Structures are given as structure tokens and as C-alpha cells.
Amino acid sequence: MIACNSLSTLDVLPARNFQPTARSSFTPQEALVFLQRCANFKQMKQIHAKIIRSSLHHHQVIVARLIRLCSSYRELDYASLVFQHVENPSTFVWNLLIRTYAVNDSPRRAILLYNLMIFRGVSVDKFTFPFVMKACLAISCVEKANEVYGLAVKTGFRGDVYLDNVLIDLYMKCGVFVDALKVFDKMRYRSVVSWTTVIAGLVFNGRMDIAQKVFDKMPKRNVVSWTAMINGYAKSKKPEMAFELYTEMQRHNVKPNEYTLVALLIASAELESLELGCWVHDYAIKNGFEIGVFVGTSLIDMYSKCGSLESAKRVFEKMENKSVATWNTMITSLGVHGQGEEAIAVFEEMEKMNTKPDAITFVGVLNACLQTGNIEKGRRYFYYMVEHHGIKPIDEHYVCLFEMHSRLAKLLDLEPSGRPTS
């Protein structure tokens, strides 16, 4: 009840006293065409103003289109304003706003809106629950998810495969995989997604033993399920099993995707096998795989960990698109191989390319400063990270800073104070 009442602060309660002007000749069809051609949020607001003047703001299809556009522009408050001018929103419109909150990193607002929907006695349907469940997952609220699922069962949605899959995924990611397996065991029908969700969840929880048993029972496997297992073994204590499973996958005539190759590159790095890593790289090129962000970053990491820094640098230089993770991997790789000055140069190039660094970037940069013995530059980068980029320091940053001051103290024949000086 408290949650329902507090939702009024989110401006989602329908406004009952809105008085539109007289209707013009602007038809619903014309409004939808204009919205379909809308190029930006400013244009959308102009079209919305004409919709209000034409008394079309209650038209459910138009409202739905407006909320979808607000979601794509991440204008959540405006989506709420659109919603509040509808006298009797349909279940579809309620669902759409819940979804808008859920997919735009506002899970608590999604849950509060759902609470209000139930409190108002609005009819729910099978599309109401999944996005509320995803919102529960975002805040790791298993208790609320159980409550939502219980209502779904009571209102006649027991056995809905999609809803069961969402609940299994939530349980797995919240670490209660035993409950996830119970839901899976009770399912009357299991899709390939159901099986794959369970396998991926067990891999996530480090239970490769159970994952293998489930995988062996799987009636039909696709590249996603094979890749989930290969990825699990790549990150386990048995990375060689990743290649054994890949060989079996080939016997079943299942073609790998880029995520399969990334998993094999991780396994190669874990095995420190440059030969296997080069084979994966060669396979990717011969089979037309683009060396994009995911595969490229994994190649850089693999070559670095297998001792071939020059190969890592060649991959990095050839990549047209680089993510923050790509830059971080190259900076870290250079630092690990004792190329501190070059690592700092790559960071400076990263900033010139207007790629915003993150906390991991500066772990690499500070380590590079530590390696080169440039304590003063390391101090400057630490404060630059905080003041210019607004990044909150993590333990690794303080460890680097402490080590810098310890080395400086030794050079000055002083005992380290244990605290970085200002």
C-alpha cells in the first residue's frame, strides 16, 4: 500500500482535469504517420502538441506510439506525462509503460507502476508479468518475483513457457539455482530457450557438473546452448573441455557464431596455448567472421596472455571499431609486458578518439605509471580520473597509489606512511 501511494510522486497518475481545445481536422491516421516519420524528441513533442489540440491524446494506439518513442529517446518523465493524460489506459498501455521503465534502467518505477495497476484493479495479461519480473531481477528481489509469479498462476497463466523462462533466469542470476531447477522440472513443455536458460544459469553459478547432465538430456541443441557449455568450460578448471565440446559440436554440424569463437579464445588464453589461439584466429578469417569488437578484444587478450604482444598490437591496429573494453585490454596488455610508456600513449590516443575511460582503464594507466617509475604522473592521473571523469576510486587504484608512495619513500630512504599524500 505504501508503495502504491508513493508512486504518485512519479507523475504517473492519470490527470482527470485536463481540458483540451476543440478538435481539428488532424486525424488519428495522420498523427500515426507523423509519429512514424518522427526523427527526434523535439519533433515528437511538436507532434504531441498537435495531438492534444486535436483531442487525440486519449487514442490508445497513438498513446502507445508516443510511449514507445519516449522509451527509444529514454525520456521516461515525458512518457509518464503522456500516460497521465489518458482517462482509462488499456492494459496494453499500462504494460507498455512498465516495459519502458524496465528496459531503461528504472526497475523500481516499473514495480511501483505494476503495484498501482493491481491496486486499481486493471486487468493483467501474459505480457504484464515478464517485464515486472525483469525489473525484479534488476534489483535482485526474489521475494517480489515470487509474489508476481504467484499472481500470474492465480490469474490463469500457469504453464506459460515465456514466463517460466524469465523466472528461471531470475532465480539463476540471483544465485538460487535450486529453485530454478524446481521450476524447470515442473514445466509441462520446455522450449530450446528453456533448456538453454537452465544451462547458461548453471554455468553462471559454476555448476558445470549439473550443466553437463542437463545438456546431455537436451532433446535439441542450437548454437546458443553449445556455446553456453563451451564458454562454461573455458572459464572453468577444465578449459581443454571447451575444445573437446567444440569438436563434438562440429560432428553435429552446428556452425559456431562469434560468441563461440570468443569462448574458444578464452580457453586458449587459459591454456596459454598460442597454437590453439592462432588456429581460432585463422578459422575466423577463413570463414568470413568480422574481427569486430567482441572477437577482436578477445584476440588481443589471448595473444597477450600467450606471450605474443606484437600479434595483439597488430589486431588492435587493424580494428576499425574499438570499445572501452578493447582499449582497456590493450593498455593492460602493454603494462603486463613491461611497456608502460606505450600503455600511457595508447590511453592518450583513447582520449583523442573521444572514448570515455572507466575505472578499469585507470587501473591499467596507474599500473603503467608504477612500472615506469613515474610517480608524479601517476598521482596526476589519479586526481584527473576523479575530478575530470568523475570516477570513484576502487581498491585497485588505491593499491597502485600506495605502491607508488612506498617506492618513493624507499628512494628517499623513508618509511612509507601507509597513506597517499595529498
Side-chain angles (χ1 to χ4, degrees):
M1 186 68 181
I2 294 173
C4 293
N5 290 335
S6 66
L7 189 59
S8 60
T9 62
L10 300 178
D11 294 329
V12 297
L13 296 177
R16 305 301 181 188
N17 298 320
F18 181 77
Q19 297 296 329
T21 56
R23 184 184 178 92
S24 72
S25 60
F26 194 50
T27 68
Q29 291 73 23
E30 288 173 329
L32 289 170
V33 169
F34 272 87
L35 289 173
Q36 187 174 3
R37 295 174 180 174
C38 182
N40 53 54
F41 181 57
K42 182 178 179 181
Q43 283 186 9
M44 192 209 78
K45 288 197 293 183
Q46 292 172 342
I47 298 167
H48 185 210
K50 187 170 180 63
I51 287 169
I52 293 173
R53 289 195 299 272
S54 303
S55 301
L56 296 176
H57 55 284
H58 295 301
H59 194 288
Q60 302 285 331
V61 177
I62 292 175
V63 168
R65 183 59 185 161
L66 282 166
I67 292 176
R68 285 186 187 279
L69 283 172
C70 289
S71 179
S72 66
Y73 299 135
R74 297 183 67 85
E75 295 288 346
L76 306 190
D77 290 337
Y78 200 91
S80 296
L81 288 173
V82 172
F83 180 84
Q84 73 176 259
H85 286 126
V86 183
E87 288 186 2
N88 294 298
S90 65
T91 298
F92 177 72
V93 172
W94 281 89
N95 290 348
L96 203 54
L97 189 57
I98 290 172
R99 178 190 179 278
T100 295
Y101 289 143
V103 302
N104 285 288
D105 304 321
S106 294
R108 295 185 186 279
R109 292 178 76 172
I111 293 170
L112 287 171
L113 185 61
Y114 164 78
N115 289 346
L116 180 62
M117 182 180 184
I118 300 304
F119 179 74
R120 287 273 182 85
V122 179
S123 297
V124 293
D125 61 23
K126 68 176 184 179
F127 300 106
T128 306
F129 303 107
F131 283 103
V132 181
M133 300 279 276
K134 287 183 182 295
C136 293
L137 172 59
I139 59 173
S140 300
C141 189
V142 175
E143 184 179 354
K144 183 64 180 179
N146 287 335
E147 175 195 312
V148 174
Y149 186 77
L151 181 61
V153 171
K154 288 180 182 177
T155 48
F157 297 105
R158 178 188 292 276
D160 184 89
V161 176
Y162 182 68
L163 185 60
D164 286 345
N165 291 344
V166 172
L167 183 63
I168 290 170
D169 185 50
L170 182 144
Y171 280 152
M172 287 293 187
K173 289 178 179 174
C174 290
V176 286
F177 68 88
V178 174
D179 291 341
L181 290 173
K182 288 178 181 177
V183 174
F184 182 70
D185 288 340
K186 291 178 181 178
M187 292 178 71
R188 288 174 289 186
Y189 169 75
R190 299 165 182 163
S191 65
V192 175
V193 175
S194 307
W195 288 90
T196 305
T197 301
V198 169
I199 291 168
L202 290 167
V203 167
F204 176 80
N205 283 277
R207 296 307 304 264
M208 289 304 300
D209 53 340
I210 307 176
Q212 184 65 64
K213 291 177 181 177
V214 174
F215 184 75
D216 290 341
K217 294 178 182 178
M218 194 172 180
K220 187 178 180 181
R221 302 162 183 165
N222 61 15
V223 65
V224 179
S225 49
W226 281 99
T227 299
M229 287 297 295
I230 292 170
N231 183 57
Y233 278 121
K235 296 176 180 178
S236 73
K237 295 179 181 179
K238 298 179 180 180
E240 67 281 356
M241 286 294 296
F243 283 95
E244 289 185 25
L245 203 61
Y246 172 76
T247 302
E248 185 183 344
M249 173 181 164
Q250 293 289 281
R251 286 198 296 266
H252 284 78
N253 296 315
V254 178
K255 293 183 178 180
N257 59 23
E258 64 175 337
Y259 298 104
T260 316
L261 299 187
V262 167
L264 292 174
L265 289 169
I266 292 170
S268 301
E270 287 297 313
L271 293 165
E272 296 183 0
S273 174
L274 183 59
E275 182 181 358
L276 285 172
C278 287
W279 176 83
V280 176
H281 191 181
D282 187 56
Y283 178 91
I285 293 171
K286 287 181 178 178
N287 288 273
F289 282 91
E290 180 186 358
I291 308 301
V293 170
F294 295 112
V295 175
T297 303
S298 298
L299 280 168
I300 295 168
D301 186 59
M302 180 278 295
Y303 278 127
S304 172
K305 289 178 178 176
C306 292
S308 183
L309 182 61
E310 290 305 313
S311 296
K313 289 161 70 173
R314 282 196 294 271
V315 172
F316 180 77
E317 288 163 3
K318 288 181 180 179
M319 289 176 66
E320 293 184 7
N321 298 312
K322 301 179 178 78
S323 67
V324 175
T326 310
W327 290 94
N328 290 353
T329 303
M330 193 69 252
I331 291 168
T332 302
S333 297
L334 289 164
V336 167
H337 285 269
Q339 306 294 318
E341 292 290 352
E342 196 171 349
I344 293 170
V346 170
F347 169 70
E348 291 173 352
E349 182 187 352
M350 176 184 182
E351 291 222 296
K352 287 178 183 177
M353 298 298 290
N354 294 318
T355 302
K356 185 174 176 60
D358 60 15
I360 304 302
T361 312
F362 282 96
V363 172
V365 171
L366 293 177
N367 270 311
C369 293
L370 184 61
Q371 281 187 353
T372 58
N374 199 328
I375 310 303
E376 185 55 37
K377 180 176 278 190
R379 280 165 49 87
R380 288 202 304 269
Y381 273 129
F382 179 86
Y383 291 110
Y384 175 73
M385 172 188 76
V386 176
E387 295 168 5
H388 183 77
H389 288 289
I391 297 172
K392 184 178 180 180
I394 58 177
D395 290 345
E396 288 85 346
H397 297 142
Y398 287 116
V399 168
C400 289
L401 207 59
F402 176 80
E403 182 63 26
M404 287 180 195
H405 284 275
S406 296
R407 292 189 184 184
L408 182 61
K410 288 178 182 178
L411 288 173
L412 298 173
D413 197 26
L414 296 172
E415 288 297 322
S417 65
R419 297 176 59 186
T421 57
S422 58

